[in-house]
Amino acid sequence: MSTVRIWDLPTRLFHWLFAAACVTAWVSGDEPRYTDLHLFAGYLALGLVLFRLVWGVMGGRYARFSQFVRGPAVVLSHLRHLFERERPHEPGHNPAGAVAIVLMLGLVFALGVTGLVVLGGEEGFGPLAGFFTVAQGVTLHGWHEWLGWALLIVVLLHLVGVALESVLQRRNLPRSMVSGTAPANKDEAEPHNAAATAVVLLLVVSGFAVSWFYPYLQEDKEDPYHPFVAGDLKRNPVWQEACSECHMAYHPSLLPDRSWQRMLDEQADHFGEDLFLLPETVAALRRFAAESAAGQVERELSWRTLHSLSAGQTPLRITDTPYWKSVHREIDAGTWKRPAVNGEFNCAACHQDAEQGGFMNGAMRIPE
Amino acid sequence: MNRVIMIAALGLAATAAVPAMAADVVDERLAAYQAEGAGPFDAKKGKAMWTQQFTHAKADKPRSCATCHTDDPRAQGKHAKTGKAIKPLAPSANPERLTEVREIEKWFMRNCKWTVGRKCTAQEKGNLLSYLRDL
């Protein structure tokens, strides 16, 4: 046996880009601030799955599904004879590795699709915006997370398998995925490197990355780049003026209508102050609250706020809602006391789009 | 002839575009308070009231105008509770101040109740406005 090429360049490039996209998506998934990065990695991974499906039909010898996807009997037999000295020579993917490949491609495809539903339903963004309700987005958000855990397990099994096979076969599998070569007979070699396809793939991915992140290079402190801005949230000049006389004007979609109506009933003792609002001002505020409160508008934060309350609860403070508490539980007392933050009611200290009522992921920066 | 009419029209338009002057609005207020039986008004008494500390049932610690507006009405203030920046109140530092009767009376209502624990009298309001106008 000699050292020959078994992996063509697009297969190798796909492998490492796919691994990088999955790791990036995994680590950026929980942090709202990095939603933009998460979406980039998600789109990239989904696009790579589609590429791999095509390459699995049109690609090189060992890249084709027909070469490595085997039935359960072969997989079981492979696993049964795993630790035996004499095993059939497998230059490409072994039968167990093939199972992991199919599972990873399938799971990432499902993650991409559910992710797009979450984006469209909860946030109102992406190609599926408008096709799904917040409630549907929230349901699929749960699925999306379970699929993520399933992917993690398969990836770990894949890594264990690679390590095990590397030891058992005394050949460095990860290095093969870089160099493309492995010990095999000359007639088992992959004849084409398909470098041109790899270059096209790399150019498309680079172009996507540049177009996605370019606005960050243009931003400055005065004009930070917000990848997502709340769609067409209704604003109202009377609301804006009356509320912002003493504090930020909190958008009505942050609390249910019953909270706002009670607040206006009690305007003579508004957290200790008598507002002396004119009757026509109160009427205008009541009308705007009634049409834009949580429950009236299709927004994730409204939906989650509303669903965190029992029917009998009528909180007057946004900070009293269980949803608000749950999303702010990781902010420690010291952060709230920072001069630039100045307390829980100053949403705009961290949410750069708070004045517009946005509160979008990615518009959040906790000041020092 | 046409030119004269045009200049006159421009002059009129300019006059109409000029917003109300704080001094005129304050004079109008003082006259109104006088009609309620208050006066004469004393800017010095207004200044004394500005920093006077009031305690009442709803105040956990003594409150004054200066609590939020600072000792100098020409300086930027800060809402005691929410921390929101408050623009200078003295018309000499902020010409938009004291130019609308409705705003003046609304804030007297709101802030006297918070600070003093009751409505301010016409005499107190006249003193305070005199103080702010003359700064």
Side-chain angles (χ1 to χ4, degrees):
Chain A
M1 270 202 281
S2 48
T3 301
V4 301
R5 174 172 61 221
I6 55 163
W7 307 124
D8 59 24
L9 197 53
T11 305
R12 284 178 272 156
L13 186 63
F14 160 81
H15 176 274
W16 295 113
L17 285 174
F18 193 58
C22 291
V23 170
T24 305
W26 177 265
V27 298
S28 60
D30 275 343
E31 194 58 58
R33 161 87 171 74
Y34 296 111
T35 301
D36 194 33
L37 186 60
H38 183 74
L39 292 186
F40 170 76
Y43 276 120
L44 178 59
L46 190 56
L48 286 168
V49 169
L50 299 179
F51 167 79
R52 190 64 185 84
L53 291 179
V54 173
W55 202 241
V57 178
M58 302 172 61
R61 185 171 174 180
Y62 298 102
R64 293 183 183 225
F65 296 121
S66 57
Q67 188 277 330
F68 64 84
V69 179
R70 251 71 59 89
V74 182
V75 175
L76 286 175
S77 157
H78 168 82
L79 291 174
R80 243 196 319 270
H81 303 291
L82 198 59
F83 295 96
E84 286 170 16
R85 204 166 267 272
E86 295 300 319
R87 277 180 23 199
H89 174 57
E90 297 269 6
H93 295 298
N94 70 54
V99 173
I101 292 167
V102 171
L103 282 176
M104 285 188 284
L105 290 174
L107 284 170
V108 171
F109 183 76
L111 275 159
V113 172
T114 53
L116 288 174
V117 175
V118 174
L119 184 67
E122 288 188 356
E123 311 288 339
F125 283 97
L128 301 185
F131 291 102
F132 295 92
T133 63
V134 173
Q136 289 166 330
V138 169
T139 302
L140 263 72
H141 203 152
W143 299 9
H144 189 73
E145 288 180 7
W146 282 112
L147 288 166
W149 286 107
L151 178 66
L152 183 72
I153 290 168
V154 178
V155 166
L156 291 177
L157 287 174
H158 167 66
L159 294 177
V160 168
V162 166
L164 195 62
E165 286 286 347
S166 293
V167 171
L168 291 174
Q169 296 184 28
R170 293 199 182 79
R171 61 180 258 214
N172 188 333
L173 265 56
R175 199 176 63 194
S176 282
M177 198 41 90
V178 176
S179 66
T181 58
N185 298 319
K186 282 231 160 68
D187 63 349
E188 288 174 322
E190 162 68 63
H192 307 292
N193 201 22
T197 305
V199 168
V200 171
L201 177 62
L202 196 60
L203 281 176
V204 170
V205 171
S206 311
F208 176 50
V210 168
S211 66
W212 191 276
F213 294 108
Y214 183 71
Y216 286 104
L217 301 175
Q218 306 286 91
E219 74 165 1
D220 55 47
K221 266 216 163 82
E222 301 296 301
D223 185 22
Y225 169 56
H226 295 146
F228 313 106
V229 280
D232 38 4
L233 266 183
K234 268 195 201 150
R235 313 269 304 267
N236 176 287
V238 178
W239 183 277
Q240 201 62 29
E241 199 192 323
C243 302
S244 67
E245 281 177 342
C246 297
H247 53 66
M248 211 196 88
Y250 307 103
H251 194 268
S253 62
L254 298 170
L255 281 176
D257 186 39
R258 59 179 186 272
S259 292
W260 297 115
Q261 300 303 337
R262 184 178 149 198
M263 211 176 294
L264 290 164
D265 291 341
E266 300 173 4
Q267 65 128 330
D269 189 12
H270 185 73
F271 304 104
E273 290 201 45
D274 191 338
L275 300 181
F276 291 106
L277 294 173
L278 295 171
E280 62 261 36
T281 309
V282 174
L285 296 175
R286 285 189 192 280
R287 273 198 304 276
F288 184 52
E291 70 185 43
S292 292
Q296 262 60 50
V297 291
E298 195 69 19
R299 295 192 72 188
E300 185 203 0
L301 77 86
S302 305
W303 190 91
R304 289 191 187 274
T305 301
L306 214 53
H307 282 248
S308 76
L309 296 169
S310 60
Q313 278 178 299
T314 307
L316 291 180
R317 291 176 194 272
I318 296 158
T319 51
D320 282 344
T321 64
Y323 175 63
W324 187 94
K325 286 180 187 168
S326 79
V327 288
H328 293 87
R329 66 185 178 276
E330 284 169 21
I331 314 290
D332 59 63
T335 308
W336 293 118
K337 287 194 189 116
R338 284 179 202 165
V341 176
N342 193 35
E344 294 176 341
F345 41 71
N346 189 15
C347 311
C350 305
H351 299 277
Q352 298 181 335
D353 59 348
E355 298 280 358
Q356 295 80 41
F359 296 95
M360 301 306 286
N361 295 342
M364 216 191 70
R365 310 272 191 284
I366 297 175
E368 288 307 313
Chain B
M1 182 63 188
N2 274 344
R3 194 172 292 173
V4 175
I5 291 173
M6 221 162 77
I7 290 170
L10 278 174
L12 266 174
T15 319
V18 169
M21 295 288 293
D24 301 335
V25 179
V26 169
D27 284 343
E28 185 274 334
R29 282 291 85 202
L30 296 185
Y33 300 150
Q34 254 164 354
E36 291 174 35
F41 302 109
D42 185 346
K44 273 189 189 148
K45 283 189 182 150
K47 185 182 182 178
M49 188 177 178
W50 184 263
T51 49
Q52 191 185 337
Q53 301 289 322
F54 295 94
T55 45
H56 55 90
K58 286 206 169 168
D60 46 353
K61 51 187 173 187
R63 294 169 176 179
S64 73
C65 308
T67 307
C68 296
H69 291 288
T70 78
D71 284 348
D72 184 356
R74 289 164 296 193
Q76 178 170 290
K78 192 175 155 201
H79 194 288
K81 204 157 161 187
T82 69
K84 188 186 164 73
I86 301 171
K87 288 178 187 161
L89 187 52
S92 61
N94 181 0
E96 285 177 22
R97 290 295 198 185
L98 312 186
T99 54
E100 271 185 68
V101 174
R102 217 177 103 171
E103 288 293 303
I104 294 172
E105 295 302 331
K106 178 177 77 185
W107 286 106
F108 265 137
M109 287 287 243
R110 219 178 252 181
N111 290 352
C112 286
K113 196 154 176 194
W114 185 84
T115 312
V116 193
R118 57 166 172 79
K119 288 180 185 178
C120 288
T121 63
Q123 182 67 45
E124 287 168 331
K125 292 197 279 188
N127 291 343
L128 283 165
L129 286 183
S130 306
Y131 165 56
L132 292 171
R133 178 191 56 187
D134 296 349
L135 270 175

